[in-house]
Amino acid sequence: MKTRAAVVYEHNEPVVVEELELEEPKSNEVLIRTGASGVCHSDLSVVTGAIYYNDAVALGHEGAGTIERVGDGVTDFCPGDRVILSFVTYCGTCRMCLMDKVCLCESYDVPRGFQLDGTYRLYNKSGKPIYQMARIATMSEYMVVPEQNLVKIAPHYPLEKAALVGCGVTTGVGAVLNTARVEPGSTVAVIGAGGVGLNVIQGAVLARAERIIAVDIAAKKLDLAKRFGATDVVNAGASDPIEAVREVTAGLGVDYAFEVIGNPKTIVQAYRMVRAAGTAVIVGMAHHEAEVSLPAQHLVSTERQLIGSFYGSCRPRVDMPKLLSLYEEGKLKLDELITRHYRLEQINEAFADMEAGENARGVIVFD
Ligand code: APR
Ligand code: ZN
Ligand code: ZN
């Protein structure tokens, strides 16, 4: 069948929206009609090559849709089911999965972009095979994905809100509640108040942090941060964020600092912002070749902790429905995250708006 999708052929060139041939779902795969796809900075990182695919790739990893058809052996899902796409595939039985670290599942040794059997589902008009970002590629009208990547949701949730739970909300809230397990009364700094960082702020509110200090270089993002629950804001373009955070915390530093950009410079800032024995949590995906340099003796003598948080250390089928329930109860903001809707053809405009700091989140909607 045919699908229109957003494809990266060359790094740092405009993304191409074109019609592709999509194969039918094979065993344990599902065909989904996409409802909405959020535009996350990690998509732009695929365009720039910071997140590296060695050939043409269809973009998108934050989406929700409706099941159209299922392949052989699929028993847990039926046509008509509404689902969020998880961007990790997990088996549920390996060592990492059994340790509740399903995002670090070790079962699938398949190169990036392929389906689990090592083949493609997407081809362009010349017959060239096209990878699927994170094995899903949500910036496409239809997608064929492994059933392991699906999270069934109640049918009444709007797909454009559910889509955001597929990456930004789960990554941000999960970093606070699952990875760091922030205690009530903690002081928290969040560097980068974008689509993911605003959700770190929401997570800190849910964890009942006492002070939530948002750091960004865009005044618009700092206003948004306040609306999402930041108690203090620091414009890193105007003042030194490490000093500013120290001032707010009476010279101590924060209990937790979250880096939500993926920049070695701000990763070091996060490390330097925390108090002795405090924890810096790195959420932003830096360039795949980037390295970070830290004061080695200081790390030991102050017992600081530096930890990574991938996908909010989530268990998709447990955490994503919970996050939607919190939304329903009015405890999690999803409506306010969506600044603008785009058509798939406007993907390059959506990236330009992201780079200009225009949006909390831009969302691509499909008919
Ligand atoms: N200091 C402070 N804030 C900064 C700086 C800086 N030096 N550089 C950029 N920012 C801010 C931007 O102004 C923006 O508000 O960081 C924010 C990044 O937000 P988005 O572009 O919306 O990115 P987002 O989708 O939130 O992703 C952030 O998380 O999941 C990862 O891969 C993703 O690495 C990416 C990160
Ligand atoms: Zn993302
Ligand atoms: Zn596993």
Side-chain angles (χ1 to χ4, degrees):
M1 65 181 290
K2 306 283 183 203
T3 185
R4 272 181 326 125
V7 183
V8 177
Y9 282 100
E10 297 284 344
H11 294 148
N12 297 309
E13 289 295 325
V15 172
V16 177
V17 175
E18 63 179 352
E19 193 171 82
L20 301 176
E21 185 64 33
L22 174 62
E23 287 189 345
E24 286 296 311
K26 298 197 175 159
S27 293
N28 302 105
E29 293 176 356
V30 172
L31 171 70
I32 292 163
R33 185 157 60 87
T34 312
S37 174
V39 183
C40 174
H41 212 105
S42 295
D43 298 304
L44 186 56
S45 295
V46 172
V47 179
T48 63
I51 295 177
Y52 184 74
Y53 285 81
N54 65 3
D55 208 344
V57 53
L59 281 178
H61 66 285
E62 183 179 272
T66 308
I67 295 185
E68 193 90 357
R69 279 197 285 287
V70 301
D72 291 343
V74 174
T75 53
D76 293 345
F77 298 94
C78 306
D81 284 349
R82 287 185 154 204
V83 290
I84 296 176
L85 284 291
S86 147
F87 66 74
V88 298
T89 314
Y90 56 96
C91 72
T93 56
C94 75
R95 197 172 46 157
M96 282 295 123
C97 283
L98 292 174
M99 287 167 74
D100 233 13
K101 288 275 174 200
V102 302
C103 296
L104 308 179
C105 174
E106 5 182 63
S107 281
Y108 303 115
D109 198 15
V110 187
R112 188 168 258 192
F114 290 101
Q115 286 302 312
L116 293 177
D117 64 0
T119 63
Y120 300 83
R121 296 293 169 273
L122 291 171
Y123 297 85
N124 74 6
K125 282 203 182 81
S126 338
K128 177 182 171 56
I130 308 288
Y131 288 140
Q132 286 166 266
M133 179 177 180
R135 222 171 267 134
I136 53 180
T138 57
M139 291 182 189
S140 174
E141 293 170 314
Y142 291 89
M143 18 176 194
V144 167
V145 306
E147 63 173 332
Q148 291 97 316
N149 290 54
L150 300 180
V151 178
K152 201 185 295 188
I153 59 170
H156 64 282
Y157 290 113
L159 290 174
E160 62 169 83
K161 312 287 162 47
L164 303 181
V165 176
C167 175
V169 179
T170 297
T171 301
V173 175
V176 178
L177 301 184
N178 297 333
T179 314
R181 296 173 186 269
V182 168
E183 307 87 2
S186 299
T187 51
V188 170
V190 182
I191 313 177
V196 183
L198 291 170
N199 286 296
V200 174
I201 293 170
Q202 302 214 72
V205 171
L206 287 169
R208 289 185 283 131
E210 191 212 351
R211 294 298 272 273
I212 304 170
I213 309 163
V215 180
D216 206 292
I217 45 175
K220 205 170 182 171
K221 295 299 172 73
L222 294 174
D223 288 342
L224 273 166
K226 280 192 202 148
R227 284 186 21 215
F228 277 77
T231 57
D232 303 81
V233 294
V234 173
N235 189 329
S239 53
D240 175 5
I242 302 167
E243 284 308 313
V245 163
R246 288 200 174 279
E247 252 172 56
V248 175
T249 53
L252 259 182
V254 283
D255 299 320
Y256 297 91
F258 292 84
E259 198 274 355
V260 205
I261 301 164
N263 176 338
K265 196 175 132 210
T266 43
I267 290 172
V268 174
Q269 282 176 0
Y271 172 83
R272 291 196 180 276
M273 265 177 204
V274 296
R275 62 162 165 80
T279 307
V281 186
I282 313 310
V283 180
M285 278 279 192
H287 189 283
H288 67 102
E289 287 170 332
E291 296 200 352
V292 174
S293 171
L294 292 170
Q297 193 182 86
H298 184 260
L299 175 67
V300 176
S301 62
T302 66
E303 287 200 354
R304 277 171 161 82
Q305 303 196 50
L306 180 73
I307 59 176
S309 175
F310 179 58
Y311 210 174
S313 309
C314 76
R315 297 141 305 163
R317 288 181 188 173
V318 176
D319 295 339
M320 292 183 181
K322 269 194 199 168
L323 289 165
L324 285 174
S325 298
L326 286 170
Y327 165 64
E328 200 159 28
E329 291 163 20
K331 293 178 181 152
L332 190 76
K333 294 180 170 58
L334 297 185
D335 303 344
E336 297 83 345
L337 276 173
I338 303 176
T339 313
R340 200 178 148 190
H341 295 106
Y342 297 88
R343 307 297 305 168
L344 184 61
E345 286 69 22
Q346 294 172 296
I347 179 60
N348 292 300
E349 194 182 334
F351 282 138
D353 288 347
M354 167 178 276
E355 285 188 294
E358 293 292 331
N359 297 340
R361 254 301 187 252
V363 177
I364 296 171
V365 284
F366 297 85
D367 294 327

